[in-house]
């Protein structure tokens, strides 16, 4: 940059050169120094204004500035004219310092300078920090607290504490981040029964500030303080014993638990608790019924082990077992699986368990055994006669025998074939499948007129049976498992599916009744949603399906 003396010299030479060439006397510009703006600790914006350009265009403009009033050795910063005004930004100034400056403008007619104006940069202010009383003091640690109540002129870049065992030698340092407001630091690894001194600090570009010195004394070593609480969840063979840590002492509790036994002076059994809160417990099992047990809580820290007072509880007397009757499964034409669960032995060994069953729920005379002990049990029951069966589970211990609720299952098979009771007035039972079919939606075989060979009382329906079916049941044409057919639903809500039997989606089922003209009556399931009816014009050598029926069960 050029200083003002160089600029003056250039201006004088130029004036000398052109003085003899101009006819009119040259007129230098007029400039005004304006007030500074955007003043910070280290920067400011200077402003000048050309109030009269003079006889020639402005070729250069800017400012002289210095930190002394007489501006004996000023710095020069050039600017660029914007209309009639020009500005320049000063940076890297010193905080809290007064600066002096004046605007200048140069044309071929000469150099003009404005008045000297001054501004002062903002002073740097360090943060304000307080040392707050210590908290959470124990034998080996404490929490130091501080508060930055004012940031000062610059952001806080570091805060924390310095501390030590001498008020004049706080040689240890603990940082706590940045920013204002409250902050703290938990110290560990301190010596017990020792006085420590500390003070908070905060650092910014303006400097480091400290709070007042505070002190604290760590605690003397102490074991925990423990309270034995009352037992809960007492049964014949178990209980939950409870304890409470009133104080952890001067260091954290590492182990907590209980000692117990059947004598107040011989608590030989030891169990640790996995609970880590002040209130802790342990469930113990394998106890003897009707027995008094004594126990006390304990806790361990680095200083030692402490115990609560001895407390007692008495286990409950044995009761009869608890047993639940389950739902029968695997029901077939040959039998069913009975299920149950002995959920509690009542405090005494279960010596027998099983099921009683029969066809009269008030007289379950049949008995099957399933061993001993608790837990689930089952028995595969083999039966030769269908119908409704009733059963209930039982369990026996030294106190007595307990039974579960009575449950039931239906053996809906006759001679190996499943049936449905539709609730018809006649009580007759309809087979769920056609002759030769493997499922209700399977058409099965189609036959010339014949008789059913299932045995066990199964027969072909008569014309009257068909009339009872379509006159008593509601029916609807439907598709099930991809097979067209009709579902007949009886008054009791139970139903059977009868599939259509040929490619025209009609259904034809033989009856065992002949008409006066010598033809056989048959059940006709029409294509579409027409009315099911009974026709009498089928020859004996035609092929139709057979759906067997069975007389009512006694």
């Amino acid at each position: 940059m050029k200083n003002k003396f160089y600029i003056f010299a250039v201006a004088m030479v130029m004036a000398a050169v052109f003085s003899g060439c101009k006819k009119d006397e040259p007129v230098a510009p007029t400039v005004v120094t304006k007030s500074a703006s955007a003043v910070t600790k280290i920067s400011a914006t200077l402003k000048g204004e050309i109030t009269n350009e003079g006889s020639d265009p402005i070729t250069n403009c800017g400012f002289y500035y210095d930190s002394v009033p007489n501006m004996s050795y000023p710095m020069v910063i050039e600017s660029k004219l914007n209309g009639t005004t020009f500005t320049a930004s000063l940076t890297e100034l010193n905080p809290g310092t007064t600066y002096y400056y004046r605007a200048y403008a140069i044309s071929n007619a000469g150099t003009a300078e404005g008045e000297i104006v001054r501004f002062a940069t903002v002073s740097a202010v360090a943060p304000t920090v307080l040392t707050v009383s210590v908290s959470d003091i124990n034998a080996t640690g404490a929490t130091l607290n501080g508060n930055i109540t004012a940031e000062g002129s610059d952001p806080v870049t570091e805060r924390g504490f310095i501390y030590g065992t001498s008020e004049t030698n706080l040689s240890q340092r603990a940082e706590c981040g940045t920013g204002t407001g409250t902050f703290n630091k938990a110290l560990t690894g301190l010596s017990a029964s020792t006085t420590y001194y500390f003070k908070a600090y905060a650092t910014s570009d303006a400097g480091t500030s400290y709070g007042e010195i505070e002190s604290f004394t760590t605690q003397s070593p102490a074991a925990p303080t423990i309270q034995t609480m009352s037992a809960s969840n007492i049964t014949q063979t178990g209980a939950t014993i409870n304890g409470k840590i009133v104080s952890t002492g001067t260091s954290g509790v590492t182990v907590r638990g209980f000692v117990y036994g059947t004598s107040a002076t011989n608590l030989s059994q030891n169990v640790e608790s996995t609970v880590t809160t002040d209130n802790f417990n342990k469930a113990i099992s394998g106890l003897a019924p009707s027995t008094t047990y004594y126990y006390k809580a304990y806790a361990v820290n680095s200083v030692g082990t402490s115990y609560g007072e001895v407390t007692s509880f008495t286990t409950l007397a044995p009761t009869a077992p608890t047993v639940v009757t389950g739902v029968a499964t695997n029901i077939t034409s040959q039998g069913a699986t009975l299920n149950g669960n002995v959920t509690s032995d009542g405090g005494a060994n279960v010596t027998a368990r099983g099921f009683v069953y029969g066809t009269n729920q008030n007289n379950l005379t049949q008995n099957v055994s399933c061993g001993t002990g608790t837990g689930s049990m089952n028995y595969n029951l083999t039966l030769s006669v269908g119908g409704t069966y009733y059963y209930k589970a039982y369990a026996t211990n030294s106190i007595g025998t307990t039974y579960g609720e009575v449950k039931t299952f239906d053996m809906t098979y006759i001679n190996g074939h499943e049936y449905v009771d539709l609730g018809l007035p006649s009580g007759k039972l309809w087979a769920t499948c056609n002759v030769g079919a493997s499922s209700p939606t399977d058409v099965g075989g189609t036959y010339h007129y014949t008789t059913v060979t299932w045995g066990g009382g199964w027969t072909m329906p008569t014309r009257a049976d068909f009339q009872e079916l379509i006159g008593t049941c509601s029916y609807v044409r439907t598709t099930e498992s991809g097979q067209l057919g009709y579902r007949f639903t009886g008054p009791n809500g139970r139903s059977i599916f009868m599939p259509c039997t040929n490619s025209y989606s009609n259904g034809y089922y033989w009856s065992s009744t002949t008409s006066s003209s010598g033809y056989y009556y048959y059940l006709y399931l029409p294509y579409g949603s027409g009315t099911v009816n009974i026709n009498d014009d089928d020859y004996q050598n035609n092929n139709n399906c057979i759906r067997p029926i069975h007389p009512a069960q006694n």
Side-chain angles (χ1 to χ4, degrees):
M1 291 187 294
K2 301 176 181 179
N3 61 32
K4 75 172 186 176
F5 300 107
Y6 176 79
I7 296 171
F8 284 161
V10 172
M12 293 176 66
V13 170
M14 293 175 65
V17 170
F18 292 102
S19 60
C21 300
K22 293 185 178 180
K23 297 180 179 180
D24 297 324
E25 186 69 22
V27 178
T30 304
V31 64
V32 176
T33 306
K34 310 292 286 185
S35 297
S37 62
V39 180
T40 69
K41 296 193 308 298
I42 59 172
S43 64
T45 298
L46 309 184
K47 182 178 181 181
E49 182 177 1
I50 306 297
T51 56
N52 189 341
E53 188 180 57
S55 60
D56 297 270
I58 302 299
T59 59
N60 182 273
C61 60
F63 302 89
Y64 313 121
Y65 69 97
D66 204 342
S67 59
V68 294
N70 60 9
M71 299 179 64
S72 55
Y73 298 101
M75 300 294 292
V76 179
I77 182 168
E78 295 184 359
S79 182
K80 185 176 181 179
L81 192 63
N82 183 15
T84 61
T85 64
F86 54 96
T87 61
S89 295
L90 301 183
T91 59
E92 299 183 1
L93 304 179
N94 296 319
T97 302
T98 299
Y99 286 88
Y100 302 85
Y101 70 99
R102 69 194 311 171
Y104 74 83
I106 299 174
S107 73
N108 289 335
T111 298
E113 296 180 354
E115 294 184 351
I116 295 176
V117 179
R118 67 181 180 180
F119 69 89
T121 54
V122 178
S123 297
V125 180
T128 302
V129 60
L130 299 177
T131 306
V132 182
S133 297
V134 72
S135 58
D136 302 326
I137 303 170
N138 55 50
T140 59
T143 298
L144 308 184
N145 300 286
N147 186 13
I148 299 175
T149 58
E151 185 177 53
S153 60
D154 298 273
V156 174
T157 56
E158 184 182 324
R159 62 186 185 181
F161 304 91
I162 54 175
Y163 67 98
T165 55
S166 169
E167 189 173 2
T168 59
N169 185 23
L170 305 181
S171 59
Q172 293 182 278
R173 190 180 192 89
E175 295 185 10
C176 296
T178 62
T180 60
T182 60
F183 59 99
N184 58 69
K185 183 68 174 183
L187 302 182
T188 59
L190 304 181
S191 300
S193 304
T194 302
T195 299
Y196 286 85
Y197 301 87
F198 72 101
K199 61 182 177 181
Y201 73 86
T203 301
S204 71
D205 288 346
T208 299
S209 300
Y210 294 91
E212 295 292 327
I213 293 179
E214 297 282 347
S215 67
F216 65 93
T217 301
T218 53
Q219 297 176 355
S220 299
T225 303
I226 303 300
Q227 184 177 353
T228 306
M229 310 297 289
S230 298
S232 57
N233 303 323
I234 301 171
T235 66
Q236 293 93 346
T237 60
T240 298
I241 47 182
N242 302 283
K244 180 179 181 181
I245 298 176
V246 180
S247 169
T248 60
T250 53
S251 64
V253 171
T254 55
V255 178
R256 64 204 76 196
F258 304 88
V259 290
Y260 69 98
T262 56
S263 169
T265 58
N266 185 23
L267 305 179
S268 58
Q269 303 273 44
N270 176 42
V271 288
E272 292 185 8
S273 174
T274 58
V275 179
T276 58
T277 58
D278 289 344
N279 293 289
F280 61 98
N281 58 66
K282 181 66 176 181
I284 54 177
S285 59
L287 306 182
S290 304
T291 303
T292 299
Y293 286 85
Y294 301 87
Y295 68 100
K296 61 182 178 182
Y298 71 85
V300 180
N301 70 3
S302 61
V303 177
T305 301
S306 298
Y307 293 89
E309 64 277 12
V310 175
T311 307
S312 66
F313 66 90
T314 301
T315 52
L316 301 180
T319 62
T322 303
V323 62
V324 176
T325 306
V327 176
T329 57
N330 303 322
I331 302 170
T332 68
S333 59
Q334 286 77 41
T337 299
L338 307 183
N339 299 285
N341 188 13
V342 181
T343 57
S344 171
D345 62 6
N349 292 334
V350 173
T351 56
R353 65 181 189 175
F355 302 91
V356 291
Y357 70 96
T359 57
N360 185 335
Q361 63 177 325
N362 298 316
N363 187 24
L364 304 181
T365 58
Q366 303 295 320
N367 178 25
V368 290
S369 175
C370 292
T372 61
T374 59
S376 61
M377 59 179 176
N378 58 71
Y379 189 89
N380 295 322
L381 189 65
T382 300
L383 300 169
S384 59
V385 179
T388 300
Y389 283 84
Y390 302 88
Y391 66 100
K392 59 184 177 182
Y394 73 86
T396 303
N397 67 5
S398 59
I399 304 302
T401 299
T402 303
Y403 292 91
E405 64 178 317
V406 175
K407 290 189 177 291
T408 183
F409 66 90
D410 288 326
M411 286 283 293
T412 55
Y413 292 86
I414 298 175
N415 203 33
H417 300 286
E418 188 177 13
Y419 65 83
V420 175
D421 182 356
L422 297 171
L424 303 176
S426 67
K428 290 186 177 181
L429 310 174
W430 283 78
T432 59
C433 298
N434 292 346
V435 172
S438 59
S439 70
T441 57
D442 182 10
V443 172
T446 56
Y447 306 92
H448 297 321
Y449 178 78
T450 185
T451 57
V452 175
T453 58
W454 278 3
W458 289 102
T459 64
M460 284 201 308
T462 64
R463 178 190 181 200
D465 293 329
F466 279 138
Q467 288 175 331
E468 182 183 49
L469 178 69
I470 63 178
T472 306
C473 297
S474 62
Y475 56 85
V476 61
R477 182 178 172 86
T478 183
T479 299
E480 298 185 11
S481 300
Q483 174 62 52
L484 288 169
Y486 280 77
R487 179 161 288 280
F488 294 83
T489 302
N492 60 6
R494 297 177 181 175
S495 62
I496 59 172
F497 179 77
M498 299 183 71
C500 293
T501 56
N502 67 10
S503 59
Y504 299 105
S505 298
N506 298 314
Y508 301 91
Y509 285 83
W510 283 118
S511 81
S512 61
T513 306
T514 58
S515 67
S516 57
S517 59
Y519 296 109
Y520 286 88
Y521 287 96
Y522 62 95
L523 181 70
Y524 174 64
L525 306 179
Y527 174 81
S529 56
T531 301
V532 174
N533 53 60
I534 302 169
N535 295 334
D536 67 347
D537 58 354
D538 222 1
Y539 292 99
Q540 184 175 357
N541 60 352
N542 284 347
N543 289 324
N544 294 331
C545 290
I546 301 173
R547 176 62 63 92
I549 64 171
H550 195 280
Q553 293 282 78
N554 295 329

